[in-house]
Amino acid sequence: PGLWEKHLEEGLLKVGFVPIHENWPSVFFHSKLKLLLMVYVDDFKLAGPSKNLAEGWALIKSKVTLGKDGPTKMGLCLGCHHERFTREYKGKKVQGVRYNMEHSLLQAVEHYEKLCARHNYKCNLRPVETPFINTTTIDPDVDKFDEDKGVLASSAASILMKLLYTARLARFDLLKAITSLASRMTTWTRRCDKQLDRLMAYVKHSARDSKLEGYVGDDPADLRLQIYADADFASDLLTRRSTSGLFLALAGPHTFFPLTAASKKQTAVS
């Protein structure tokens, strides 16, 4: 680890925050206060019983100098607006958080439009229902084996990487489209141009309404991890490989809180 990570971990250990696992760096748990601390460079996010938060922050500040404005109230963190809500679910009041990435997504669309103008590529950001074009059939106009690279080949990485952070944090529905295109960076074609344009059209018109949210209304003893897994069938037109996907959530009688998701192309054709 770097000097900052080493300094941080040593300080947090002294006040009871212990790393949860070697595979989860910068994530700590305080067993006495039941507080989970997540650190991203110099951003700190603390979660747990509200009655223990003040004591937890005091312990952290005894070893780490925090900004004069922190800790902040729920709001913007790591580029995402966190919106708290309360609602009735199955006769019980639950508390939840909605992750709003609209601003970040529209910034990515604006970036894409500027790059299209630079490359003299005519984008078509019309309303669409999915981020995918039909990849199950050959398009004779764009799938010639001797075709030149797509127009956006040199700029695609900057667009996709800008989207990937948002997708991994709070827009799981974008993961497959992004990772599929990312696997074509060295073999970018005109079909990839079309796929990227379709993805950005979907992003533009879903940014306002598609927001990840989760809610909790149970004691920890009543919660469980719930995973959903599936795969498509030979969706990659060139390799005929399938793509596996998973979705992990914290669940209970009155709880459903998304934790993470993944989309990965399989390594072999079966």
Side-chain angles (χ1 to χ4, degrees), residues 110-203:
E110 183 180 355
H111 176 61
Y112 171 71
E113 290 176 320
K114 289 179 179 178
L115 290 176
C116 286
R118 182 188 305 171
H119 291 286
N120 198 27
Y121 180 80
K122 186 178 180 180
C123 57
N124 182 17
L125 302 184
R126 67 194 187 283
V128 294
E129 294 184 355
T130 75
F132 307 103
I133 63 172
N134 186 0
T135 59
T136 61
T137 58
I138 296 291
D139 185 338
D141 292 329
V142 297
D143 285 307
K144 300 174 184 176
F145 289 104
D146 60 347
E147 66 174 315
D148 295 331
K149 281 189 175 182
V151 176
L152 301 175
S154 62
S155 298
S158 69
I159 302 166
L160 293 173
M161 294 306 102
K162 194 173 184 66
L163 281 179
L164 183 58
Y165 169 74
T166 300
R168 293 178 66 184
L169 181 64
R171 283 296 302 269
F172 302 155
D173 55 318
L174 302 177
L175 283 172
K176 184 180 188 302
I178 294 171
T179 54
S180 294
L181 283 170
S183 70
R184 299 295 306 276
M185 294 309 306
T186 59
T187 56
W188 193 269
T189 65
R190 282 179 287 169
R191 177 182 280 269
C192 297
D193 286 340
K194 291 177 64 176
Q195 288 177 309
L196 180 58
D197 195 62
R198 173 66 177 243
L199 169 61
M200 299 311 297
Y202 177 75
V203 167

Side-chain angles (χ1 to χ4, degrees), residues 32-256:
K32 180 180 178 181
L33 299 178
K34 307 300 182 190
L35 295 176
L36 182 70
L37 173 66
M38 293 155 282
V39 182
Y40 182 75
V41 189
D42 59 353
D43 286 314
F44 290 65
K45 190 173 183 179
L46 189 64
S50 56
K51 63 181 181 180
N52 296 338
L53 290 176
E55 185 176 352
W57 283 119
L59 291 173
I60 295 169
K61 288 193 288 185
S62 71
K63 298 299 179 182
V64 181
T65 302
L66 300 181
K68 62 180 181 180
D69 296 327
T72 61
K73 295 181 179 179
M74 173 141 337
L76 182 64
C77 180
L78 304 180
C80 176
H81 286 275
H82 296 63
E83 303 167 353
R84 184 176 307 208
F85 65 83
T86 302
R87 66 165 66 124
E88 291 285 332
Y89 180 71
K90 294 183 178 180
K92 186 175 183 180
K93 182 179 289 186
V94 299
Q95 296 188 52
V97 177
R98 184 177 299 110
Y99 297 89
N100 184 351
M101 301 293 290
E102 179 182 359
H103 180 68
S104 177
L105 290 168
L106 294 181
Q107 277 187 327
V109 172
E110 183 180 355
H111 176 61
Y112 171 71
E113 290 176 320
K114 289 179 179 178
L115 290 176
C116 286
R118 182 188 305 171
H119 291 286
N120 198 27
Y121 180 80
K122 186 178 180 180
C123 57
N124 182 17
L125 302 184
R126 67 194 187 283
V128 294
E129 294 184 355
T130 75
F132 307 103
I133 63 172
N134 186 0
T135 59
T136 61
T137 58
I138 296 291
D139 185 338
D141 292 329
V142 297
D143 285 307
K144 300 174 184 176
F145 289 104
D146 60 347
E147 66 174 315
D148 295 331
K149 281 189 175 182
V151 176
L152 301 175
S154 62
S155 298
S158 69
I159 302 166
L160 293 173
M161 294 306 102
K162 194 173 184 66
L163 281 179
L164 183 58
Y165 169 74
T166 300
R168 293 178 66 184
L169 181 64
R171 283 296 302 269
F172 302 155
D173 55 318
L174 302 177
L175 283 172
K176 184 180 188 302
I178 294 171
T179 54
S180 294
L181 283 170
S183 70
R184 299 295 306 276
M185 294 309 306
T186 59
T187 56
W188 193 269
T189 65
R190 282 179 287 169
R191 177 182 280 269
C192 297
D193 286 340
K194 291 177 64 176
Q195 288 177 309
L196 180 58
D197 195 62
R198 173 66 177 243
L199 169 61
M200 299 311 297
Y202 177 75
V203 167
K204 179 178 180 179
H205 294 283
S206 65
R208 181 182 299 275
D209 298 323
S210 296
K211 299 171 184 174
L212 185 72
E213 66 176 41
Y215 54 88
V216 177
D218 301 298
D219 293 329
D222 297 323
L223 301 178
R224 67 185 184 278
L225 289 175
Q226 195 159 298
I227 190 168
Y228 304 84
D230 204 350
D232 60 21
F233 180 71
S235 60
D236 188 283
L237 185 63
L238 297 181
T239 66
R240 289 304 179 188
R241 292 179 183 175
S242 303
T243 298
S244 299
L246 65 85
F247 171 68
L248 179 68
L250 188 67
H254 303 89
T255 298
F256 193 83

